[in-house]
Amino acid sequence: MFKKEISAGAKSKVKSSVQRAIRTKIVETYPLLAPHIDEIIPKKSQLDLLKLPDRVTLYALDSQPLFWQHMDDPIIPHLRVVHAFPKCFSSLGIDRGAIRFVLSGATLMAPGLTSTGGRLPDEDAQLKEGDVAVVEAEGKEEACLVGQLRMGTEEVKEKKKGVVIDMGHYLGDGLWNMTID
């Protein structure tokens, strides 16, 4: 989604009532972030809303991108937030062979998750279609991709082929390299 360099469009301040609603939505979507929400978005801070190409909205605080949202999709964390709070998000693991494709902006396919080096969640933590997942690379410490699932993890295990995440934010993409002034 952010393969090319992007520049922010209109920048506006978020009203405090909208900011409270965003905080609530984030805690609903990512319950493990609840203890850290005041650290991510302090109550007295001023959140900025930036319009990006392809109907994407970016929420930033003090020129630091925090979350983004495509139209009415769920609010998705920026990778810098994921790196700061890695245990607060549902994660998948890809094998070494898929790393270069993911980091070049290709869609994440099921074989990268179901092969020997890949990792899917346990039975009690299954993810369904539409959930937001963080993708970690085999042998690496930091997450490399965050996006919305197009196929549930149970279906990935059964089919072992198909698109899992087609639009996401990955290390080195336009959103990662974007500067906010």
Side-chain angles (χ1 to χ4, degrees):
M1 172 169 255
F2 303 108
K3 285 185 184 181
K4 298 178 183 172
E5 293 298 316
I6 54 176
S7 59
K11 180 178 179 180
S12 60
K13 304 285 184 194
V14 175
K15 293 186 346 186
S16 62
S17 59
V18 175
Q19 186 167 325
R20 279 193 307 273
I22 291 169
R23 284 170 52 103
T24 305
K25 187 76 168 171
I26 290 168
V27 171
E28 285 174 10
T29 309
Y30 311 104
L32 296 174
L33 267 183
H36 308 288
I37 194 68
D38 286 329
E39 190 178 335
I40 297 169
I41 306 173
K43 287 184 179 177
K44 297 290 182 184
S45 63
Q46 180 61 54
L47 201 61
D48 294 324
L49 181 144
L50 289 92
K51 296 288 186 183
L52 301 179
D54 299 326
R55 297 183 181 155
V56 174
T57 304
L58 177 69
Y59 299 104
L61 180 68
D62 301 328
S63 298
Q64 289 295 320
L66 298 177
F67 295 90
W68 59 277
Q69 183 176 23
H70 180 257
M71 295 173 67
D72 291 331
D73 289 347
I75 294 177
I76 300 175
H78 192 277
L79 275 171
R80 295 184 204 281
V81 174
V82 173
H83 292 166
F85 305 99
K87 300 295 181 202
C88 296
F89 303 98
S90 305
S91 66
L92 308 171
I94 56 171
D95 65 358
R96 291 184 186 278
I99 295 172
R100 68 185 173 119
F101 295 109
V102 167
L103 294 181
S104 66
T107 58
L108 176 62
M109 305 299 281
L113 297 169
T114 57
S115 63
T116 310
R119 179 180 46 79
L120 289 167
D122 299 328
E123 295 295 325
D124 58 335
Q126 293 296 321
L127 300 171
K128 56 187 182 302
E129 181 180 349
D131 286 351
V132 175
V134 170
V135 178
E136 298 167 343
E138 178 187 13
K140 306 295 181 195
E141 295 176 14
E142 303 288 346
C144 62
L145 171 71
V146 60
Q148 189 176 12
L149 294 175
R150 297 287 169 234
M151 183 188 307
T153 53
E154 196 64 43
E155 191 179 352
V156 171
K157 286 179 185 175
E158 291 171 13
K159 288 186 176 180
K160 297 189 186 217
K161 61 181 172 181
V163 175
V164 180
I165 297 177
D166 59 355
M167 295 187 328
H169 163 43
Y170 58 93
L171 285 175
D173 67 0
L175 185 59
W176 177 264
N177 295 323
M178 188 174 86
T179 56
I180 302 171
D181 31 315

